[in-house]
Amino acid sequence: MNKPLIFISHITEESELAIEIKDALEEAFLDKIEIFVSSDGDCIRLGEEWIDVIIESLRKSAIGIILISYKSVERRWINFEAGAFWMRNIPIIPIYHSGITEHDVPIPINIMQGKIISELDSILMSISKEINVEINQVNITEFNKKVNELQEKYTFWDKVNENFEKIHNMDERITKYLKSKGVANLQVMKDELFNPIHNFLNNTLVKDGIITIERYGGVDFTMDGTVKNYRFTLTTKGKEIVQHKNFKF
């Protein structure tokens, strides 16, 4: 007898979360199910055509799980896989994470009965009912701990790294000195280039108490024009952030 296949649809950036859900399902249903997660390193073997494997797995799946976040809901591939589940008329379980809810997503996903990722008991019960397989004991406390860490990474850390990328792209030496010394200086010759970035940082990293930006000294006059001096300084919070494992610079 063939085991029911559960397909977990996700974006690459959230593969760690998909694997955590896969592990929880394997713990709950043991060897009574098969699970497809494209990024786990096992479902698509070396040398296989990934698109063919995914389409074949979509064709065989008994349940479709879709990981929904503000980032994933905008991806065409997620909507393609959701459409494939819909066309086959199989049970679809959207799992919302990282702050998004069913009110934030478009049709048809928002009319499907979804779950919040913290509702693992309810998710397992829904799957159990669909595939008629009993649920074994799962360490929900450990699951929630790992999931919460990943949600923090996907929300807070993605935003922090995106904001620091503005600084890094402007001058890589600034992020280098901020990380090593906690302070960095920048000479600005063209206000029209710096002002939009300055305003952006004032509304993000400065507003969040991560860095301060201040003018110092007067205006220097050079052969190429006037030069203004700015100093970037990490706060105590900022110093902790740039030394964290999730800080990418």
Side-chain angles (χ1 to χ4, degrees), residues 53-242:
V53 177
I54 288 176
I55 290 175
E56 179 65 11
S57 297
L58 285 169
R59 187 183 67 79
K60 292 180 177 179
S61 55
I63 294 177
I65 290 176
I66 312 171
L67 301 191
I68 303 295
S69 67
Y70 285 108
K71 185 175 290 187
S72 71
V73 76
E74 297 179 351
R75 301 293 178 84
R76 292 181 180 180
W77 192 255
I78 289 293
N79 289 286
F80 168 78
E81 292 177 342
F85 300 146
W86 183 271
M87 291 297 293
R88 291 195 53 238
N89 197 30
I90 64 171
I92 305 170
I93 305 175
I95 297 182
Y96 299 102
H97 68 92
S98 302
I100 198 170
T101 70
E102 61 188 23
H103 305 294
D104 304 314
V105 299
I107 292 175
I109 293 175
N110 66 353
I111 62 175
M112 304 172 190
Q113 186 63 42
K115 304 287 184 182
I116 304 297
I117 196 162
S118 58
E119 303 173 332
L120 182 60
D121 272 338
S122 180
I123 294 169
L124 295 178
M125 288 177 63
S126 296
I127 295 173
S128 175
K129 182 179 178 181
E130 294 292 346
I131 63 177
N132 195 28
V133 175
E134 291 185 359
I135 304 171
N136 292 283
Q137 187 172 1
V138 176
N139 190 337
I140 293 179
T141 301
E142 184 64 21
F143 174 81
N144 285 334
K145 177 184 176 183
K146 292 178 179 179
V147 164
N148 288 338
E149 289 174 354
L150 289 173
Q151 289 186 102
E152 180 184 22
K153 177 182 177 182
Y154 297 152
T155 52
F156 175 78
W157 284 106
D158 279 358
K159 183 59 66 176
V160 164
N161 284 321
E162 179 183 311
N163 293 338
F164 268 97
E165 190 167 21
K166 294 282 187 180
I167 299 175
H168 192 73
N169 290 341
M170 182 170 55
D171 191 331
E172 294 182 7
R173 293 171 297 179
I174 300 179
T175 46
K176 175 184 176 181
Y177 287 128
L178 283 175
K179 190 167 185 178
S180 62
K181 299 180 179 180
V183 63
N185 297 328
L186 175 69
Q187 291 187 323
V188 174
M189 295 187 63
K190 296 184 178 180
D191 287 339
E192 65 271 20
L193 297 179
F194 178 67
N195 285 346
I197 298 174
H198 192 188
N199 291 334
F200 172 82
L201 295 175
N202 278 335
N203 289 317
T204 53
L205 296 177
V206 174
K207 182 180 178 181
D208 293 337
I210 296 172
I211 65 171
T212 62
I213 305 174
E214 58 184 350
R215 278 274 307 275
Y216 71 93
V219 176
D220 297 329
F221 297 92
T222 70
M223 294 292 292
D224 297 318
T226 59
V227 176
K228 297 177 182 178
N229 299 295
Y230 287 85
R231 178 169 292 127
F232 294 72
T233 306
L234 290 176
T235 63
T236 300
K237 178 181 178 181
K239 290 176 181 177
E240 293 175 354
I241 285 173
V242 300

